[in-house]
Amino acid sequence: MYKYFKRAIDFTIALVALASLFVPLLFVAILIKLDSKGPVIFKQERLGKDGVPFKIWKFRSMCVGAEKQGTGVYSFKGDNRITRIGRILRATSIDELPQLVNILKGEMALIGPRPALTYHPWPYDQYSEHQKHMFDVLPGVTGWAQVNGRKEVPWPERIELNVWYAQHISFSLDVKIFLMTILKVITNANNENISKTGIK
């Protein structure tokens, strides 16, 4: 039953959050523009529900053209492609707040499997039928895999955590993940860019 109300809850929370945070978000946007050249918002194609691609929104935290530089799309500890403001945004997870717009558009949920790139760890058609169950629900700003190791968890295990969430989704589980996320943001747990195999 909760699945039918989840979308309405997410939409309401996202709408209220965007309205309440409008001024702070505008301030962040100005800081990004003053700190480095390029757009305020970074958009990247990810896999959404049922494997349908969509463009995720983030505050830009890296220099323009960072993906085309030698180290690729993934960041790591000490990555000099990350801007000064970007380091703060990543450490506090503020860079993820524009995804509230993705929630309003119906592309994401507040809680759900973190959306993978369209080509990594592999394209949608290369996921097993079991693994594809992670795409049964909308991807989330945060999720079960995120609060259980985040970048430290190998992809097969991370996908398994996402599948487990999709098969056990409930209001109490979402509340638990939400509270665990707040704790991890406050303590900055599992938020080090220490591996090129990690993804936010």
Side-chain angles (χ1 to χ4, degrees), residues 88-161:
I88 298 173
L89 299 181
R90 286 178 171 229
T92 57
S93 293
I94 290 175
D95 61 322
E96 309 288 358
L97 289 178
Q99 285 155 47
L100 292 169
V101 174
N102 289 117
I103 294 177
L104 292 182
K105 293 169 67 178
E107 298 167 331
M108 292 182 69
L110 185 61
I111 310 295
R114 192 69 184 143
L117 291 167
T118 55
Y119 56 88
H120 190 278
W122 38 74
Y124 177 73
D125 60 5
Q126 292 183 19
Y127 285 81
S128 70
E129 290 305 311
H130 172 72
Q131 291 174 332
K132 284 182 178 178
H133 282 300
M134 69 178 276
F135 301 104
D136 289 345
V137 297
L138 286 172
V141 177
T142 186
W144 188 233
Q146 294 298 101
V147 297
N148 281 283
R150 202 173 184 175
K151 294 181 179 181
E152 297 177 356
V153 180
W155 271 105
E157 294 178 28
R158 197 182 313 185
I159 293 172
E160 192 60 37
L161 287 168

Side-chain angles (χ1 to χ4, degrees), residues 44-200:
Q44 186 181 60
E45 200 165 69
R46 300 282 181 97
L47 291 175
K49 188 177 185 296
D50 299 321
V52 178
F54 75 101
K55 288 192 175 181
I56 194 173
W57 286 32
K58 289 187 177 189
F59 277 129
R60 181 175 58 82
S61 59
M62 302 181 81
C63 62
V64 173
E67 293 185 9
K68 298 178 181 179
Q69 296 181 20
T71 47
V73 298
Y74 296 112
S75 58
F76 52 92
K77 189 173 183 179
D79 193 340
N80 59 14
R81 298 175 301 168
I82 303 175
T83 65
R84 290 172 298 178
I85 295 300
R87 295 188 189 283
I88 298 173
L89 299 181
R90 286 178 171 229
T92 57
S93 293
I94 290 175
D95 61 322
E96 309 288 358
L97 289 178
Q99 285 155 47
L100 292 169
V101 174
N102 289 117
I103 294 177
L104 292 182
K105 293 169 67 178
E107 298 167 331
M108 292 182 69
L110 185 61
I111 310 295
R114 192 69 184 143
L117 291 167
T118 55
Y119 56 88
H120 190 278
W122 38 74
Y124 177 73
D125 60 5
Q126 292 183 19
Y127 285 81
S128 70
E129 290 305 311
H130 172 72
Q131 291 174 332
K132 284 182 178 178
H133 282 300
M134 69 178 276
F135 301 104
D136 289 345
V137 297
L138 286 172
V141 177
T142 186
W144 188 233
Q146 294 298 101
V147 297
N148 281 283
R150 202 173 184 175
K151 294 181 179 181
E152 297 177 356
V153 180
W155 271 105
E157 294 178 28
R158 197 182 313 185
I159 293 172
E160 192 60 37
L161 287 168
N162 288 332
V163 170
W164 184 90
Y165 170 81
Q167 296 176 335
H168 296 82
I169 187 171
S170 68
F171 177 72
S172 60
L173 179 58
D174 276 4
V175 170
K176 179 179 180 178
I177 293 171
F178 181 75
L179 295 177
M180 289 176 70
T181 298
I182 292 176
L183 179 61
K184 285 185 175 290
V185 169
I186 292 174
T187 60
N188 202 26
N190 307 122
N191 197 22
E192 290 288 344
N193 292 309
I194 58 176
S195 172
K196 293 182 184 178
T197 58
I199 185 172
K200 287 184 71 183

